[in-house]
Amino acid sequence: MRKFLWWVRYWWLGPCGGLEVLRVAWPLMVSMGSGAVMHFCDRIFLSWYAPQAMAAALPAGVLHFTLLCLPFGIAIYVNPFVAQYEGAGRFDRIGRVVWQGVWIGLVTGPLFLVTIPLAPYWFTAMGHSAELARLETLYYQILTYGASASICGGAMSAFFTGRRKTRVVMWVDSSAAALNVLLDYAWIFGHWGFPAWGIEGAAWATVVSQWYRVVVYLGLIFQPGIREKYGIVSGLRVDVQLLRRLLYYGTPNGLQLLAEVAAFTLMLLLIGRLGDEAMAATTAAFNVNSFAFVPTLGLGIGLTAMVGRELGRNRPDRATKAAWSAMVLAWLYMGSIAIWYVVMPDFFLLGYGAGMSPESFQSLRQTTTILLRFVAAYCLFDAMNVVFAAALKGAGDTRYIFLANLSLSAPPVVMIWLGVHYFNLGLWGCWVILTAWVYALGLAFLVRFLQGRWRQMRLIEPSPEELP
């Protein structure tokens, strides 16, 4: 009994214990979960409109995000900078570093428009059917108009997540997701006086909701009480030294995101060569799993902010405790979802069955049910990947994360390519390789975390008082 009470007092109620991590992270988990619901509804609506439109949305959307990864990864890395500046009590630097992330979005976002004429060649080159490639092209081209909004919105949200004001992010992102779902319903099917745009309507709904986030965040950041305390107006200019520092640590973060998502994208595109049915089932499985995986990303963002704050206070012991607390919470959550995938897979496929013909749904159900067992097999390792990578990012150990992702992501892509092209590798073989990839990433970040080098790392420059 005494040991249990000590455990409750130390782990659950103590500083950086389970309760504090949950308080910081749950709004972000809801926020990320609302995004997952948005994408789920988006693809459910598209499956009702035309199953081939749903099959086209995932590879096109993932390709768009793949190209977005580098600038987006740099911009969202404002989060640990804000956390460490707040931990060190240097509030005047917070607004300035946020604006450096916004400037990155304003400069790099328009470059995505240059890729519009190249999109048809990309999807045709992957060997997809003519109609699937046409729909993928259309979806991707429209998404490029929201590139700047995605990057700028990521930097602005870091202003709140880095200061652990995560409920603000929850309300803004949830309202944007709700707007997206409403516009999906209206623009895909042609309700409320709008024409039925199909996959085009889904893409434009995403673009509008992204710009909505930017407008709302701007209104919140420029409130009088915030504007003066955090140097929002005075920090609006480009700060070359701070921008260099953000690029130095943020570029590996963006490259890591790029390596991981690019590998995932290439694997998806290669699976698309197995046929529209395999692509639709894979899309459905990942779409279902977004309910479990995406909220853990919110947990990771909250953990990054907590680790950054404690390192800014020179308390690596508390940062370590926060990471293990987050790991316990992630395993409890992901483990529960994994059991549901195995025991009640049909529950997660109800939305698909509601709008598809019985013949089409039965074919999709049989394959997707087996794929969800693969997802259940790697869920806990996916949690390790998210949590320990987030802890390392809070310290600034982004170069290791990038190199580990690069070295571990290339082999599975090559294996699937060789298998599909030369050895008649089927859908199950591709998913075995995917599962092994997730295992390797989770173990790599666990080992790095246990080595403890991150405990001495700092992102922010020394304050004038600390200089000799």
Side-chain angles (χ1 to χ4, degrees):
M1 186 64 180
R2 289 183 178 179
K3 289 184 178 180
F4 176 75
L5 293 175
W6 174 86
W7 180 84
V8 170
R9 190 183 308 112
Y10 175 76
W11 179 75
W12 182 248
L13 298 177
C16 293
L19 183 59
E20 184 178 354
V21 171
L22 192 60
R23 282 175 176 170
V24 172
W26 79 261
L28 295 175
M29 296 178 72
V30 172
S31 174
M32 300 298 290
S34 67
V37 171
M38 177 189 74
H39 291 299
F40 182 80
C41 292
D42 184 52
R43 289 163 191 156
I44 286 289
F45 288 159
L46 287 175
S47 73
W48 295 352
Y49 183 80
Q52 203 169 35
M54 180 197 72
L58 182 63
V62 172
L63 177 60
H64 169 72
F65 186 67
T66 301
L67 299 179
L68 198 70
C69 279
L70 181 56
F72 182 75
I74 297 172
I76 63 174
Y77 203 68
V78 168
N79 176 30
F81 272 88
V82 171
Q84 289 199 18
Y85 277 131
E86 188 193 41
R90 301 172 64 187
F91 304 113
D92 59 305
R93 302 289 290 174
I94 291 178
R96 185 165 298 184
V97 75
V98 170
W99 286 121
Q100 307 315 302
V102 172
W103 283 114
I104 289 171
L106 294 176
V107 171
T108 61
L111 298 178
F112 282 78
L113 301 177
V114 179
T115 68
I116 288 178
L118 302 175
Y121 303 101
W122 292 341
F123 294 109
T124 302
M126 294 309 300
H128 294 183
S129 65
E131 179 61 15
L132 184 63
R134 184 188 71 83
L135 294 173
E136 289 169 333
T137 298
L138 192 59
Y139 192 75
Y140 169 84
Q141 289 174 332
I142 296 173
L143 289 181
T144 58
Y145 293 98
S148 281
S150 297
I151 302 168
C152 295
M156 292 178 185
S157 67
F159 173 76
F160 298 99
T161 57
R163 297 184 302 117
R164 298 175 299 126
K165 304 297 183 182
T166 51
R167 294 192 183 189
V168 175
V169 178
M170 178 184 69
W171 289 115
V172 174
D173 289 0
S174 297
S175 63
L179 174 63
N180 192 314
V181 171
L182 289 174
L183 294 178
D184 272 341
Y185 181 74
W187 292 350
I188 291 175
F189 301 108
H191 294 298
W192 306 327
F194 291 100
W197 289 336
I199 196 169
E200 293 178 75
W204 281 118
T206 301
V207 171
V208 171
S209 65
Q210 290 290 348
W211 282 109
Y212 163 84
R213 288 178 70 235
V214 172
V215 172
V216 174
Y217 278 133
L218 279 174
L220 293 172
I221 287 174
F222 275 96
Q223 292 182 89
I226 292 176
R227 192 170 56 209
E228 287 82 15
K229 181 177 181 180
Y230 296 103
I232 300 299
V233 176
S234 61
L236 191 55
R237 61 182 177 82
V238 175
D239 186 319
V240 176
Q241 290 185 342
L242 188 54
L243 181 60
R244 284 179 179 175
R245 200 169 190 87
L246 177 60
L247 290 173
Y248 179 81
Y249 289 103
T251 299
N253 185 60
L255 290 174
Q256 170 262 322
L257 192 60
L258 175 61
E260 189 171 342
V261 175
F264 179 69
T265 303
L266 290 173
M267 292 180 205
L268 279 180
L269 294 174
L270 289 169
I271 290 173
R273 283 181 172 266
L274 300 176
D276 290 355
E277 183 177 333
M279 189 71 248
T282 299
T283 300
F286 281 122
N287 199 21
V288 168
N289 188 45
S290 63
F291 282 109
F293 177 70
V294 172
T296 62
L297 296 178
L299 177 63
I301 295 171
L303 175 62
T304 297
M306 292 187 69
V307 169
R309 182 194 62 174
E310 298 305 328
L311 291 180
R313 294 175 173 177
N314 291 318
R315 292 299 305 267
D317 55 323
R318 288 189 176 181
T320 303
K321 183 182 175 183
W324 285 114
S325 299
M327 187 71 260
V328 172
L329 294 173
W331 269 4
L332 289 173
Y333 172 70
M334 293 286 275
S336 301
I337 295 293
I339 294 173
W340 276 66
Y341 285 160
V342 176
V343 176
M344 297 184 62
D346 288 333
F347 172 77
F348 298 97
L349 300 176
L350 290 175
Y352 290 97
M356 298 176 66
S357 66
E359 297 79 12
S360 298
F361 174 68
Q362 189 60 28
S363 176
L364 180 71
R365 176 194 171 278
Q366 289 177 350
T367 306
T368 307
T369 298
I370 298 174
L371 296 185
L372 287 177
R373 295 174 186 169
F374 283 97
V375 176
Y378 68 64
C379 266
L380 296 183
F381 287 86
D382 227 359
M384 290 168 56
N385 177 5
V386 172
V387 169
F388 292 119
L392 297 175
K393 288 178 183 180
D397 198 8
T398 52
R399 292 179 180 272
Y400 172 82
I401 298 174
F402 162 58
L403 293 174
N405 264 281
L406 186 64
S407 60
L408 293 174
S409 297
V413 173
V414 174
M415 291 170 66
I416 291 179
W417 182 79
L418 290 173
V420 170
H421 281 79
Y422 298 106
F423 300 103
N424 294 320
L425 184 69
L427 183 61
W428 313 136
C430 292
W431 271 78
V432 168
I433 296 173
L434 276 168
T435 302
W437 175 52
V438 176
Y439 279 36
L441 287 174
L443 291 173
F445 296 138
L446 170 63
V447 170
R448 181 67 171 186
F449 178 82
L450 292 175
Q451 288 176 343
R453 298 178 184 176
W454 60 273
R455 294 164 62 95
Q456 284 75 45
M457 295 180 179
R458 299 294 183 274
L459 288 168
I460 60 177
E461 71 284 359
S463 65
E465 294 79 8
E466 296 171 343
L467 294 174

